[in-house]
Amino acid sequence: MAIRTGRLRFGPDNGRMLLRTGRKGVGSTVGHDLTIEVTDWSAELNVPEAGPADASASARVELGSLAVREGTGGAVPLTDKDRGEIEKNARRTLDVDRHPTATFQSTRVVTDGDSTTISGTLTLHGVAAPIQVAVRELTPDRYRATTVVTQSAYGIKPYSAFLGALKVRDDVEVEIEVRLGG
């Protein structure tokens, strides 16, 4: 994977960060699989002249900026009122008042052919744990990074309703798509 050198900055102006949740439990047919957009985030990739092996990456995510974009499945379509309630529950589950941001700092970047793996530390909910982010080029100057965040690894109890009959899956898929240049 060829990537330009220098300090590259990303955020909502040139990219999109999405979280995808699933549901489980006997009441799962009532709930929705959600696509949630993070509307306030920033990431920086520093690629020195020596190449990607010496690159570093960091990111900051404002957890109060989650916006429900889509809900699939469920007994009835998602309403605007539902979206607002889900966003409120997400802020409560993530304890945004005490832990308003999540951060990522890379420790290693490995490029192998057309894919790159960025290993690092994600700090979420006051807990730091290792994580790997897979990056691939979609088209020239357009990239997608993906990872899975297991909520319980960060001391987060996934949201549940109806006395536990409907639960959000522990694993949340994270997708960041960015474009370089104009």
Side-chain angles (χ1 to χ4, degrees), residues 3 36 67 70 78 90 97 124 131 170-171 179:
I3 189 164
I36 301 169
E70 183 180 22
L78 210 55
D97 290 339
L124 172 64
I131 196 165
D170 198 12
D171 288 345
R179 66 188 177 285

mmCIF file of all heavy atoms in Angstrom, residues 3 36 67 70 78 90 97 124 131 170-171 179:
data_model
loop_
_atom_site.group_PDB
_atom_site.id
_atom_site.type_symbol
_atom_site.label_atom_id
_atom_site.label_comp_id
_atom_site.label_asym_id
_atom_site.label_seq_id
_atom_site.Cartn_x
_atom_site.Cartn_y
_atom_site.Cartn_z
ATOM 1 N N ILE A 3 1.411 5.155 0.486
ATOM 2 C CA ILE A 3 0.795 6.311 1.134
ATOM 3 C C ILE A 3 1.828 7.421 1.164
ATOM 4 O O ILE A 3 3.025 7.172 1.306
ATOM 5 C CB ILE A 3 0.281 5.966 2.557
ATOM 6 C CG1 ILE A 3 -0.543 7.121 3.111
ATOM 7 C CG2 ILE A 3 1.405 5.600 3.478
ATOM 8 C CD1 ILE A 3 -1.392 6.740 4.290
ATOM 9 N N ILE A 36 -24.057 4.226 14.035
ATOM 10 C CA ILE A 36 -23.914 5.455 14.803
ATOM 11 C C ILE A 36 -22.702 6.208 14.263
ATOM 12 O O ILE A 36 -21.627 5.632 14.123
ATOM 13 C CB ILE A 36 -23.729 5.149 16.302
ATOM 14 C CG1 ILE A 36 -24.943 4.368 16.823
ATOM 15 C CG2 ILE A 36 -23.490 6.421 17.107
ATOM 16 C CD1 ILE A 36 -24.758 3.793 18.210
ATOM 17 N N ALA A 67 -24.216 10.146 17.006
ATOM 18 C CA ALA A 67 -25.507 10.427 16.368
ATOM 19 C C ALA A 67 -25.985 9.168 15.642
ATOM 20 O O ALA A 67 -25.285 8.647 14.772
ATOM 21 C CB ALA A 67 -25.373 11.581 15.380
ATOM 22 N N GLU A 70 -28.769 5.153 11.466
ATOM 23 C CA GLU A 70 -29.608 4.121 10.872
ATOM 24 C C GLU A 70 -29.891 3.027 11.891
ATOM 25 O O GLU A 70 -29.046 2.713 12.726
ATOM 26 C CB GLU A 70 -28.897 3.523 9.655
ATOM 27 C CG GLU A 70 -29.699 2.503 8.907
ATOM 28 C CD GLU A 70 -28.960 1.922 7.707
ATOM 29 O OE1 GLU A 70 -27.709 1.976 7.673
ATOM 30 O OE2 GLU A 70 -29.631 1.412 6.819
ATOM 31 N N LEU A 78 -37.254 2.874 13.184
ATOM 32 C CA LEU A 78 -36.692 3.795 14.162
ATOM 33 C C LEU A 78 -37.271 5.188 13.938
ATOM 34 O O LEU A 78 -37.305 5.675 12.818
ATOM 35 C CB LEU A 78 -35.170 3.822 13.956
ATOM 36 C CG LEU A 78 -34.255 4.085 15.132
ATOM 37 C CD1 LEU A 78 -34.509 3.105 16.266
ATOM 38 C CD2 LEU A 78 -32.815 3.992 14.687
ATOM 39 N N ALA A 90 -26.659 5.765 25.131
ATOM 40 C CA ALA A 90 -25.243 5.543 24.792
ATOM 41 C C ALA A 90 -24.345 6.427 25.662
ATOM 42 O O ALA A 90 -23.326 5.958 26.188
ATOM 43 C CB ALA A 90 -25.000 5.824 23.308
ATOM 44 N N ASP A 97 -20.076 11.764 31.069
ATOM 45 C CA ASP A 97 -19.805 12.851 32.021
ATOM 46 C C ASP A 97 -18.438 12.675 32.677
ATOM 47 O O ASP A 97 -17.720 13.648 32.908
ATOM 48 C CB ASP A 97 -20.890 12.941 33.094
ATOM 49 C CG ASP A 97 -22.215 13.445 32.537
ATOM 50 O OD1 ASP A 97 -22.204 14.084 31.458
ATOM 51 O OD2 ASP A 97 -23.259 13.201 33.169
ATOM 52 N N LEU A 124 -10.419 4.012 26.700
ATOM 53 C CA LEU A 124 -11.874 4.208 26.643
ATOM 54 C C LEU A 124 -12.434 3.928 28.024
ATOM 55 O O LEU A 124 -12.068 2.926 28.652
ATOM 56 C CB LEU A 124 -12.470 3.241 25.605
ATOM 57 C CG LEU A 124 -13.971 3.128 25.486
ATOM 58 C CD1 LEU A 124 -14.596 4.445 25.021
ATOM 59 C CD2 LEU A 124 -14.341 2.011 24.510
ATOM 60 N N ILE A 131 -5.125 -2.764 20.955
ATOM 61 C CA ILE A 131 -6.091 -2.963 19.873
ATOM 62 C C ILE A 131 -5.334 -2.910 18.555
ATOM 63 O O ILE A 131 -4.270 -2.299 18.474
ATOM 64 C CB ILE A 131 -7.222 -1.909 19.941
ATOM 65 C CG1 ILE A 131 -8.413 -2.324 19.091
ATOM 66 C CG2 ILE A 131 -6.713 -0.537 19.580
ATOM 67 C CD1 ILE A 131 -9.680 -1.534 19.394
ATOM 68 N N ASP A 170 -21.635 -7.229 22.801
ATOM 69 C CA ASP A 170 -20.429 -6.694 23.443
ATOM 70 C C ASP A 170 -19.472 -6.085 22.416
ATOM 71 O O ASP A 170 -18.836 -5.081 22.679
ATOM 72 C CB ASP A 170 -19.749 -7.818 24.222
ATOM 73 C CG ASP A 170 -18.770 -7.319 25.269
ATOM 74 O OD1 ASP A 170 -18.761 -6.113 25.582
ATOM 75 O OD2 ASP A 170 -18.011 -8.158 25.789
ATOM 76 N N ASP A 171 -19.372 -6.688 21.245
ATOM 77 C CA ASP A 171 -18.463 -6.204 20.203
ATOM 78 C C ASP A 171 -19.114 -5.108 19.365
ATOM 79 O O ASP A 171 -20.222 -5.299 18.851
ATOM 80 C CB ASP A 171 -18.031 -7.338 19.277
ATOM 81 C CG ASP A 171 -17.065 -8.308 19.939
ATOM 82 O OD1 ASP A 171 -16.506 -7.960 21.005
ATOM 83 O OD2 ASP A 171 -16.860 -9.408 19.399
ATOM 84 N N ARG A 179 -10.321 10.382 3.115
ATOM 85 C CA ARG A 179 -9.763 10.680 1.802
ATOM 86 C C ARG A 179 -8.637 11.708 1.988
ATOM 87 O O ARG A 179 -8.724 12.590 2.843
ATOM 88 C CB ARG A 179 -10.828 11.176 0.831
ATOM 89 C CG ARG A 179 -11.444 12.497 1.184
ATOM 90 C CD ARG A 179 -12.638 12.842 0.277
ATOM 91 N NE ARG A 179 -13.240 14.074 0.690
ATOM 92 C CZ ARG A 179 -14.013 14.241 1.754
ATOM 93 N NH1 ARG A 179 -14.304 13.220 2.515
ATOM 94 N NH2 ARG A 179 -14.518 15.418 2.054
#
